[in-house]
Short mmCIF file of all heavy atoms in Angstrom, two decimals:
data_model
loop_
_atom_site.label_atom_id
_atom_site.label_comp_id
_atom_site.label_asym_id
_atom_site.label_seq_id
_atom_site.Cartn_x
_atom_site.Cartn_y
_atom_site.Cartn_z
N SER B 1 -2.30 -0.03 -2.92
CA SER B 1 -3.15 1.11 -2.49
C SER B 1 -3.65 0.91 -1.06
O SER B 1 -3.59 -0.21 -0.52
CB SER B 1 -4.32 1.29 -3.44
OG SER B 1 -5.21 0.22 -3.35
N TYR B 2 -4.17 1.99 -0.52
CA TYR B 2 -4.74 1.93 0.82
C TYR B 2 -5.96 1.01 0.85
O TYR B 2 -6.17 0.27 1.82
CB TYR B 2 -5.12 3.34 1.29
CG TYR B 2 -5.59 3.42 2.71
CD1 TYR B 2 -4.72 3.37 3.77
CD2 TYR B 2 -7.00 3.56 2.97
CE1 TYR B 2 -5.18 3.46 5.06
CE2 TYR B 2 -7.44 3.65 4.28
CZ TYR B 2 -6.53 3.57 5.33
OH TYR B 2 -7.00 3.65 6.62
N ASN B 3 -6.77 1.04 -0.21
CA ASN B 3 -7.95 0.18 -0.28
C ASN B 3 -7.55 -1.30 -0.30
O ASN B 3 -8.23 -2.14 0.31
CB ASN B 3 -8.79 0.52 -1.51
CG ASN B 3 -9.51 1.86 -1.37
OD1 ASN B 3 -9.77 2.32 -0.24
ND2 ASN B 3 -9.81 2.50 -2.48
N GLU B 4 -6.46 -1.60 -1.02
CA GLU B 4 -6.00 -2.98 -1.03
C GLU B 4 -5.48 -3.41 0.31
O GLU B 4 -5.68 -4.57 0.74
CB GLU B 4 -4.90 -3.13 -2.11
CG GLU B 4 -5.44 -3.05 -3.53
CD GLU B 4 -4.35 -2.95 -4.57
OE1 GLU B 4 -3.17 -2.68 -4.18
OE2 GLU B 4 -4.64 -3.17 -5.76
N TYR B 5 -4.86 -2.50 1.02
CA TYR B 5 -4.41 -2.79 2.39
C TYR B 5 -5.59 -3.12 3.29
O TYR B 5 -5.57 -4.12 4.03
CB TYR B 5 -3.62 -1.58 2.95
CG TYR B 5 -3.68 -1.42 4.44
CD1 TYR B 5 -3.02 -2.30 5.30
CD2 TYR B 5 -4.41 -0.39 5.03
CE1 TYR B 5 -3.06 -2.19 6.68
CE2 TYR B 5 -4.46 -0.23 6.38
CZ TYR B 5 -3.80 -1.12 7.20
OH TYR B 5 -3.85 -0.96 8.59
N LYS B 6 -6.65 -2.33 3.21
CA LYS B 6 -7.84 -2.58 4.02
C LYS B 6 -8.52 -3.91 3.63
O LYS B 6 -8.98 -4.66 4.51
CB LYS B 6 -8.85 -1.43 3.84
CG LYS B 6 -8.44 -0.14 4.51
CD LYS B 6 -8.28 -0.36 5.99
CE LYS B 6 -8.90 0.66 6.83
NZ LYS B 6 -8.67 0.40 8.28
N PHE B 7 -8.51 -4.22 2.34
CA PHE B 7 -9.08 -5.46 1.85
C PHE B 7 -8.32 -6.65 2.40
O PHE B 7 -8.91 -7.63 2.88
CB PHE B 7 -9.11 -5.44 0.33
CG PHE B 7 -9.62 -6.73 -0.31
CD1 PHE B 7 -10.96 -7.03 -0.32
CD2 PHE B 7 -8.73 -7.66 -0.87
CE1 PHE B 7 -11.42 -8.20 -0.89
CE2 PHE B 7 -9.17 -8.82 -1.42
CZ PHE B 7 -10.55 -9.08 -1.44
N LEU B 8 -6.98 -6.58 2.32
CA LEU B 8 -6.15 -7.68 2.84
C LEU B 8 -6.27 -7.79 4.37
O LEU B 8 -6.30 -8.90 4.90
CB LEU B 8 -4.71 -7.47 2.43
CG LEU B 8 -4.39 -7.60 0.96
CD1 LEU B 8 -2.90 -7.22 0.67
CD2 LEU B 8 -4.63 -9.01 0.44
N GLN B 9 -6.34 -6.66 5.03
CA GLN B 9 -6.44 -6.67 6.48
C GLN B 9 -7.72 -7.37 6.94
O GLN B 9 -7.73 -8.11 7.92
CB GLN B 9 -6.44 -5.24 6.99
CG GLN B 9 -6.46 -5.11 8.52
CD GLN B 9 -6.50 -3.69 8.99
OE1 GLN B 9 -7.24 -2.85 8.44
NE2 GLN B 9 -5.68 -3.33 9.96
N THR B 10 -8.80 -7.20 6.16
CA THR B 10 -10.09 -7.78 6.51
C THR B 10 -10.13 -9.26 6.19
O THR B 10 -10.72 -10.06 6.93
CB THR B 10 -11.21 -7.05 5.76
OG1 THR B 10 -11.20 -5.67 6.09
CG2 THR B 10 -12.60 -7.62 6.14
N ASN B 11 -9.48 -9.70 5.10
CA ASN B 11 -9.70 -11.06 4.58
C ASN B 11 -8.58 -12.03 4.83
O ASN B 11 -8.80 -13.24 4.73
CB ASN B 11 -9.96 -10.98 3.06
CG ASN B 11 -11.27 -10.26 2.72
OD1 ASN B 11 -12.35 -10.82 2.87
ND2 ASN B 11 -11.16 -9.02 2.29
N LEU B 12 -7.37 -11.55 5.15
CA LEU B 12 -6.27 -12.48 5.37
C LEU B 12 -6.45 -13.24 6.68
O LEU B 12 -6.74 -12.64 7.72
CB LEU B 12 -4.94 -11.73 5.38
CG LEU B 12 -4.32 -11.38 4.06
CD1 LEU B 12 -3.05 -10.56 4.28
CD2 LEU B 12 -3.98 -12.62 3.24
N LYS B 13 -6.29 -14.54 6.63
CA LYS B 13 -6.45 -15.37 7.85
C LYS B 13 -5.11 -15.80 8.48
O LYS B 13 -5.07 -16.11 9.64
CB LYS B 13 -7.27 -16.65 7.46
CG LYS B 13 -8.70 -16.33 6.98
CD LYS B 13 -9.41 -17.62 6.64
CE LYS B 13 -10.83 -17.30 6.11
NZ LYS B 13 -11.55 -18.51 5.72
N ASN B 14 -4.06 -15.83 7.66
CA ASN B 14 -2.78 -16.34 8.16
C ASN B 14 -1.81 -15.26 8.53
O ASN B 14 -0.62 -15.51 8.70
CB ASN B 14 -2.15 -17.27 7.09
CG ASN B 14 -2.93 -18.55 6.88
OD1 ASN B 14 -3.29 -19.22 7.82
ND2 ASN B 14 -3.23 -18.84 5.63
N GLN B 15 -2.27 -14.00 8.60
CA GLN B 15 -1.34 -12.91 8.90
C GLN B 15 -1.18 -12.69 10.40
O GLN B 15 -2.10 -12.92 11.16
CB GLN B 15 -1.80 -11.62 8.21
CG GLN B 15 -3.23 -11.20 8.56
CD GLN B 15 -3.28 -10.11 9.60
OE1 GLN B 15 -2.26 -9.75 10.20
NE2 GLN B 15 -4.48 -9.62 9.87
N ASN B 16 -0.01 -12.21 10.74
CA ASN B 16 0.33 -11.93 12.15
C ASN B 16 0.63 -10.47 12.34
O ASN B 16 1.27 -10.07 13.30
CB ASN B 16 1.54 -12.80 12.56
CG ASN B 16 1.76 -12.79 14.07
OD1 ASN B 16 0.84 -12.63 14.83
ND2 ASN B 16 3.00 -12.93 14.46
N GLY B 17 0.18 -9.65 11.42
CA GLY B 17 0.42 -8.22 11.44
C GLY B 17 0.43 -7.69 10.02
O GLY B 17 0.97 -8.34 9.13
N ILE B 18 -0.17 -6.53 9.79
CA ILE B 18 -0.21 -5.96 8.45
C ILE B 18 -0.17 -4.45 8.54
O ILE B 18 -0.70 -3.86 9.49
CB ILE B 18 -1.50 -6.44 7.71
CG1 ILE B 18 -1.50 -5.91 6.24
CG2 ILE B 18 -2.73 -6.05 8.45
CD1 ILE B 18 -2.56 -6.52 5.39
N ALA B 19 0.51 -3.83 7.56
CA ALA B 19 0.62 -2.37 7.55
C ALA B 19 0.80 -1.90 6.13
O ALA B 19 1.37 -2.60 5.28
CB ALA B 19 1.76 -1.90 8.43
N VAL B 20 0.31 -0.68 5.86
CA VAL B 20 0.63 0.00 4.60
C VAL B 20 1.62 1.14 4.91
O VAL B 20 1.47 1.78 5.98
CB VAL B 20 -0.64 0.51 3.87
CG1 VAL B 20 -1.40 1.51 4.76
CG2 VAL B 20 -0.33 1.10 2.51
N PHE B 21 2.55 1.40 4.05
CA PHE B 21 3.51 2.44 4.35
C PHE B 21 4.02 3.02 3.02
O PHE B 21 3.90 2.41 1.94
CB PHE B 21 4.68 1.89 5.15
CG PHE B 21 5.47 0.81 4.46
CD1 PHE B 21 6.59 1.08 3.73
CD2 PHE B 21 5.04 -0.52 4.56
CE1 PHE B 21 7.30 0.08 3.08
CE2 PHE B 21 5.74 -1.54 3.93
CZ PHE B 21 6.88 -1.22 3.19
N ALA B 22 4.58 4.21 3.12
CA ALA B 22 5.18 4.89 1.98
C ALA B 22 6.36 5.72 2.50
O ALA B 22 6.38 6.07 3.68
CB ALA B 22 4.20 5.76 1.27
N VAL B 23 7.31 5.98 1.59
CA VAL B 23 8.52 6.72 1.99
C VAL B 23 8.78 7.88 1.04
O VAL B 23 8.67 7.74 -0.16
CB VAL B 23 9.75 5.78 2.00
CG1 VAL B 23 11.01 6.53 2.45
CG2 VAL B 23 9.52 4.54 2.88
N LYS B 24 9.07 9.03 1.62
CA LYS B 24 9.50 10.20 0.85
C LYS B 24 10.91 10.57 1.35
O LYS B 24 11.09 10.88 2.53
CB LYS B 24 8.54 11.37 1.05
CG LYS B 24 8.98 12.69 0.43
CD LYS B 24 9.04 12.62 -1.09
CE LYS B 24 9.36 14.01 -1.67
NZ LYS B 24 9.55 13.96 -3.11
N SER B 25 11.89 10.57 0.42
CA SER B 25 13.27 10.82 0.82
C SER B 25 13.61 12.30 0.61
O SER B 25 12.95 13.02 -0.08
CB SER B 25 14.24 9.95 -0.01
OG SER B 25 13.96 8.59 0.22
N ASN B 26 14.70 12.68 1.29
CA ASN B 26 15.32 14.01 1.13
C ASN B 26 14.37 15.17 1.43
O ASN B 26 14.25 16.14 0.67
CB ASN B 26 15.85 14.17 -0.31
CG ASN B 26 16.94 13.17 -0.62
OD1 ASN B 26 17.79 12.86 0.23
ND2 ASN B 26 16.94 12.66 -1.82
N ILE B 27 13.61 15.04 2.52
CA ILE B 27 12.81 16.18 2.94
C ILE B 27 13.55 16.96 4.02
O ILE B 27 14.58 16.47 4.55
CB ILE B 27 11.41 15.72 3.48
CG1 ILE B 27 11.57 15.07 4.86
CG2 ILE B 27 10.75 14.78 2.53
CD1 ILE B 27 10.34 15.07 5.66
N THR B 28 13.07 18.13 4.33
CA THR B 28 13.68 18.99 5.36
C THR B 28 12.72 19.17 6.48
O THR B 28 11.51 19.45 6.27
CB THR B 28 14.09 20.32 4.75
OG1 THR B 28 15.04 20.10 3.71
CG2 THR B 28 14.71 21.20 5.82
N ILE B 29 13.19 19.06 7.71
CA ILE B 29 12.38 19.28 8.87
C ILE B 29 12.95 20.47 9.62
O ILE B 29 14.18 20.57 9.83
CB ILE B 29 12.34 18.05 9.83
CG1 ILE B 29 11.81 16.82 9.09
CG2 ILE B 29 11.47 18.31 11.02
CD1 ILE B 29 11.76 15.57 9.91
N LYS B 30 12.07 21.38 10.06
CA LYS B 30 12.51 22.62 10.72
C LYS B 30 11.89 22.70 12.11
O LYS B 30 10.80 22.22 12.33
CB LYS B 30 12.12 23.85 9.90
CG LYS B 30 12.74 23.87 8.51
CD LYS B 30 12.30 25.10 7.74
CE LYS B 30 12.92 25.16 6.35
NZ LYS B 30 12.49 26.34 5.60
N ARG B 31 12.63 23.41 12.95
CA ARG B 31 12.09 23.74 14.27
C ARG B 31 12.79 25.03 14.76
O ARG B 31 13.99 25.00 15.06
CB ARG B 31 12.31 22.61 15.26
CG ARG B 31 11.42 22.71 16.48
CD ARG B 31 12.24 22.93 17.71
NE ARG B 31 11.42 23.30 18.87
CZ ARG B 31 11.91 23.71 20.00
NH1 ARG B 31 13.21 23.83 20.18
NH2 ARG B 31 11.10 24.06 20.98
N LYS B 32 12.08 26.11 14.76
CA LYS B 32 12.62 27.43 15.06
C LYS B 32 13.82 27.67 14.12
O LYS B 32 13.68 27.67 12.92
CB LYS B 32 13.00 27.52 16.54
CG LYS B 32 11.82 27.47 17.47
CD LYS B 32 12.25 27.64 18.91
CE LYS B 32 11.04 27.61 19.86
NZ LYS B 32 11.44 27.73 21.27
N ASN B 33 15.02 27.91 14.70
CA ASN B 33 16.19 28.20 13.87
C ASN B 33 16.96 26.93 13.47
O ASN B 33 17.98 27.04 12.80
CB ASN B 33 17.13 29.14 14.65
CG ASN B 33 16.51 30.51 14.85
OD1 ASN B 33 15.74 31.00 14.01
ND2 ASN B 33 16.84 31.14 15.98
N ASN B 34 16.48 25.81 13.92
CA ASN B 34 17.18 24.56 13.63
C ASN B 34 16.47 23.84 12.49
O ASN B 34 15.25 23.85 12.41
CB ASN B 34 17.20 23.65 14.85
CG ASN B 34 17.96 24.28 16.03
OD1 ASN B 34 19.01 24.84 15.84
ND2 ASN B 34 17.38 24.19 17.22
N SER B 35 17.25 23.19 11.63
CA SER B 35 16.66 22.40 10.53
C SER B 35 17.63 21.29 10.21
O SER B 35 18.83 21.37 10.44
CB SER B 35 16.37 23.27 9.33
OG SER B 35 17.59 23.72 8.73
N ILE B 36 17.09 20.25 9.58
CA ILE B 36 17.87 19.12 9.14
C ILE B 36 17.28 18.62 7.81
O ILE B 36 16.07 18.51 7.70
CB ILE B 36 17.93 17.99 10.19
CG1 ILE B 36 18.85 16.86 9.71
CG2 ILE B 36 16.58 17.47 10.55
CD1 ILE B 36 19.21 15.84 10.79
N SER B 37 18.17 18.37 6.86
CA SER B 37 17.68 17.93 5.53
C SER B 37 18.09 16.47 5.28
O SER B 37 18.69 15.81 6.13
CB SER B 37 18.27 18.84 4.46
OG SER B 37 19.67 18.86 4.51
N GLU B 38 17.75 16.00 4.08
CA GLU B 38 18.01 14.62 3.68
C GLU B 38 17.39 13.62 4.67
O GLU B 38 18.04 12.61 5.04
CB GLU B 38 19.52 14.37 3.51
CG GLU B 38 20.12 15.23 2.41
CD GLU B 38 21.58 14.89 2.18
OE1 GLU B 38 22.10 13.99 2.86
OE2 GLU B 38 22.19 15.53 1.30
N VAL B 39 16.19 13.89 5.07
CA VAL B 39 15.49 13.05 6.02
C VAL B 39 14.54 12.13 5.25
O VAL B 39 13.93 12.52 4.27
CB VAL B 39 14.65 13.90 7.03
CG1 VAL B 39 13.79 13.00 7.92
CG2 VAL B 39 15.57 14.76 7.85
N ASP B 40 14.48 10.87 5.70
CA ASP B 40 13.47 9.93 5.13
C ASP B 40 12.19 10.04 5.96
O ASP B 40 12.20 9.75 7.18
CB ASP B 40 14.00 8.47 5.22
CG ASP B 40 15.07 8.20 4.18
OD1 ASP B 40 15.10 8.91 3.19
OD2 ASP B 40 15.85 7.26 4.39
N LEU B 41 11.14 10.45 5.30
CA LEU B 41 9.82 10.58 5.95
C LEU B 41 9.04 9.33 5.63
O LEU B 41 8.82 9.01 4.46
CB LEU B 41 9.09 11.83 5.51
CG LEU B 41 7.68 12.02 6.09
CD1 LEU B 41 7.75 12.18 7.60
CD2 LEU B 41 7.01 13.22 5.44
N ARG B 42 8.60 8.62 6.65
CA ARG B 42 7.80 7.40 6.46
C ARG B 42 6.39 7.63 6.98
O ARG B 42 6.19 8.13 8.08
CB ARG B 42 8.45 6.24 7.18
CG ARG B 42 9.72 5.73 6.55
CD ARG B 42 10.37 4.61 7.32
NE ARG B 42 11.42 3.98 6.56
CZ ARG B 42 11.28 2.81 5.91
NH1 ARG B 42 10.14 2.14 6.00
NH2 ARG B 42 12.27 2.32 5.19
N GLY B 43 5.46 7.22 6.17
CA GLY B 43 4.08 7.20 6.63
C GLY B 43 3.64 5.77 6.86
O GLY B 43 3.76 4.93 5.96
N GLY B 44 3.18 5.44 8.03
CA GLY B 44 2.81 4.09 8.37
C GLY B 44 1.47 3.96 9.03
O GLY B 44 1.06 4.87 9.76
N SER B 45 0.79 2.89 8.76
CA SER B 45 -0.51 2.63 9.39
C SER B 45 -0.30 2.10 10.82
O SER B 45 0.87 1.99 11.29
CB SER B 45 -1.31 1.64 8.58
OG SER B 45 -0.63 0.40 8.47
N PHE B 46 -1.36 1.74 11.49
CA PHE B 46 -1.25 1.36 12.89
C PHE B 46 -0.37 0.15 13.11
O PHE B 46 0.35 0.06 14.09
CB PHE B 46 -2.66 1.09 13.44
CG PHE B 46 -2.66 0.79 14.94
CD1 PHE B 46 -2.42 1.79 15.84
CD2 PHE B 46 -2.87 -0.51 15.38
CE1 PHE B 46 -2.41 1.54 17.20
CE2 PHE B 46 -2.86 -0.78 16.73
CZ PHE B 46 -2.63 0.23 17.66
N GLY B 47 -0.33 -0.80 12.19
CA GLY B 47 0.46 -2.03 12.37
C GLY B 47 1.92 -1.86 11.91
O GLY B 47 2.64 -2.87 11.85
N TYR B 48 2.36 -0.63 11.64
CA TYR B 48 3.72 -0.42 11.16
C TYR B 48 4.74 -0.95 12.14
O TYR B 48 5.76 -1.55 11.75
CB TYR B 48 3.93 1.10 10.92
CG TYR B 48 5.29 1.47 10.43
CD1 TYR B 48 5.57 1.52 9.08
CD2 TYR B 48 6.31 1.80 11.32
CE1 TYR B 48 6.84 1.90 8.61
CE2 TYR B 48 7.57 2.16 10.86
CZ TYR B 48 7.84 2.21 9.51
OH TYR B 48 9.07 2.55 9.07
#
């Protein structure tokens, strides 16, 4: 979870970077008359 990410970010001493992320596959992105499907949408925190 996001709360666990924040907890680890605060307390880990031996880390050299940390991020929380999630992936949603097969989405469609549009722009005016153009679109593309089967896109992997990734959500990432600042350390992604």
Side-chain angles (χ1 to χ4, degrees):
S1 67
Y2 185 77
N3 289 334
E4 288 171 345
Y5 153 69
K6 287 302 226 181
F7 177 75
L8 292 174
Q9 185 183 42
T10 302
N11 294 283
L12 280 176
K13 296 179 181 178
N14 293 310
Q15 56 99 353
N16 192 28
I18 183 170
V20 61
F21 61 94
V23 181
K24 173 66 175 176
S25 300
N26 297 322
I27 73 158
T28 299
I29 302 180
K30 298 179 180 180
R31 197 246 169 189
K32 294 182 179 179
N33 295 327
N34 300 315
S35 67
I36 183 168
S37 56
E38 298 184 1
V39 174
D40 286 338
L41 177 64
R42 288 177 168 259
S45 61
F46 184 71
Y48 180 90

